Amino acid sequence: MTLHKPQIVTLGGLNIDLVVRVPVIPKPGETITGHSFATFPGGKGANQTVALARLGAQVCMIGRVGADSFGETLLQNLRQEGVRTDFIKIDDQRATGVALITVEDSGQNNISVAPGANMAVSAEEVAAAFSALAEVDMLVMPLETPMEAILTAARLAREHGARVALNPAPAQPLPPELLQWVDIIIPNEFEAAALTHIETSDEAGARQAALQLHEWTGGSVTLTLGERGALLLDAAQSPPQFTFLPAFRVTAVDTTAAGDAFVAGLAVGLSEGMSLTEAAQLGSAAGAISVTRHGAQPSLPKRSEVEAFIQSRSNPGV
Ligand code: RIB
């Protein structure tokens, strides 16, 4: 196990989430009266960054925000978490990303994003960050920035001897060039199905999709299956081994950012030298706690909370 804090670079989106709580998610064309409205700092990239920092990593984020109050709020929030933000550019032409989120009483959501400045991150900005960083253990990325920036980050991370963790969300086709640099891919069942064109709703399909992703990347696969748990395919074992990790049972109020919490827990655990199963357990617990709380970044747990949660679930009497 490493004794130092994992040094992690993130590249991804920063959004302000505008959230309306409703009894049920409206159908197309339907208007529904909601319960409440709130704004939260969000964006998959920023959520994963905050979750990584709360779980014990030293994080440097690469991204872009607009020169507006939303951008300032997001930057201040990251700084308060101890995140290095000097490679988040302030764009005076484009607005900060915004996500319109509807959360229903069951905790499920739907999300529409106007990416704004996020989709202007350049390969040069990514290269400037990597040339300033002496030590990088891992790169963690969702897909909310231009593919050229993502490709550059993956290539430079590998040149730094760092591992590349890719969360292929929101789903989009991925170039083979990117896949060859990925050490661990963390899709949910819908993203895995979109990438592989294999139906993942049953266990056989999920296994087949995971094998396809392993074949393309040569790396490990963690396929998250919502409240069912996660299917792991560990490339560190020869031949690669499947493990099914059941989810912790909790009462969900808001599932926003649960996937981000999972990705962060997994990345911190792997960077600390844990096995894939141990690291996924950390991610699963972080995700389970996050769904019991409202909002994206406010819901993300600290390391001490995650460890206490795992302890309480392994000793139910405590
Ligand atoms: O993963 C959740 C995030 O997706 C939200 O915070 C929203 O901003 C979108 O990017």
Side-chain angles (χ1 to χ4, degrees):
M1 298 241 173
T2 49
L3 294 174
H4 72 304
K5 275 186 163 203
Q7 305 290 307
I8 297 185
V9 174
T10 56
L11 166 65
L14 301 106
N15 298 330
I16 287 288
D17 294 350
L18 307 179
V19 183
V20 177
R21 289 205 65 101
V22 292
V24 285
I25 290 174
K27 297 183 193 70
E30 188 183 8
T31 301
I32 202 159
T33 301
H35 307 305
S36 61
F37 170 74
T39 63
F40 299 104
K44 295 181 195 306
N47 296 344
Q48 290 170 25
T49 299
V50 167
L52 286 161
R54 290 187 186 160
L55 293 173
Q58 189 65 52
V59 197
C60 172
M61 182 169 186
I62 306 169
R64 270 205 198 206
V65 293
D68 47 36
S69 62
F70 282 171
E72 190 46 40
T73 301
L74 287 161
L75 284 173
Q76 267 179 24
N77 190 60
L78 290 176
R79 288 185 194 121
Q80 274 166 14
E81 299 289 341
V83 172
R84 183 167 173 184
T85 60
D86 47 332
F87 297 105
I88 300 174
K89 186 166 173 171
I90 299 176
D91 186 323
D92 53 16
Q93 304 295 315
R94 298 170 188 82
T96 297
V98 170
L100 296 183
I101 304 184
T102 312
V103 181
E104 66 173 26
D105 287 347
S106 71
Q108 290 303 327
N109 62 27
N110 69 14
I111 304 180
S112 307
V113 175
N118 293 310
M119 284 309 284
V121 177
S122 70
E124 290 71 30
E125 284 156 36
V126 171
F130 274 92
S131 66
L133 297 168
E135 193 193 346
V136 185
D137 295 317
M138 188 176 277
L139 167 69
V140 177
M141 296 187 290
L143 299 175
E144 298 168 307
T145 58
M147 188 48 71
E148 209 192 329
I150 291 169
L151 283 167
T152 303
R155 178 175 56 77
L156 293 176
R158 279 296 194 92
E159 282 176 23
H160 269 64
R163 281 194 279 183
V164 176
L166 182 71
N167 170 221
Q172 60 172 273
L174 298 178
E177 200 184 343
L178 174 63
L179 291 167
Q180 68 176 349
W181 287 319
V182 171
D183 295 283
I184 173 142
I185 189 163
I186 312 133
N188 66 22
E189 56 196 307
F190 308 108
E191 291 147 4
L195 285 172
T196 62
H197 305 291
I198 296 169
E199 182 53 60
T200 55
S201 52
D202 62 17
E203 195 191 329
R207 281 175 173 250
Q208 210 189 327
L211 278 170
Q212 177 67 85
L213 291 167
H214 165 67
E215 206 171 289
W216 285 338
T217 60
S220 294
V221 181
T222 299
L223 206 164
T224 58
L225 301 165
E227 60 188 23
R228 283 180 287 152
L231 180 67
L232 318 178
L233 181 56
D234 189 353
Q237 299 183 44
S238 180
Q241 295 294 310
F242 277 112
T243 306
F244 179 73
L245 193 66
F248 292 103
R249 295 272 153 241
V250 289
T251 303
V253 299
D254 182 353
T255 56
T256 312
D260 300 324
F262 184 96
V263 168
L266 182 75
V268 167
L270 290 175
S271 300
E272 289 177 356
M274 289 181 189
S275 69
L276 184 67
T277 306
E278 291 166 333
Q281 181 87 338
L282 195 67
S284 174
I289 296 171
S290 82
V291 305
T292 66
R293 301 172 177 171
H294 294 279
Q297 288 169 35
S299 74
L300 301 167
K302 292 196 173 79
R303 181 65 172 259
S304 54
E305 294 176 293
V306 177
E307 283 174 355
F309 178 86
I310 292 174
Q311 183 74 20
S312 72
R313 293 304 174 110
S314 46
N315 299 304
V318 176

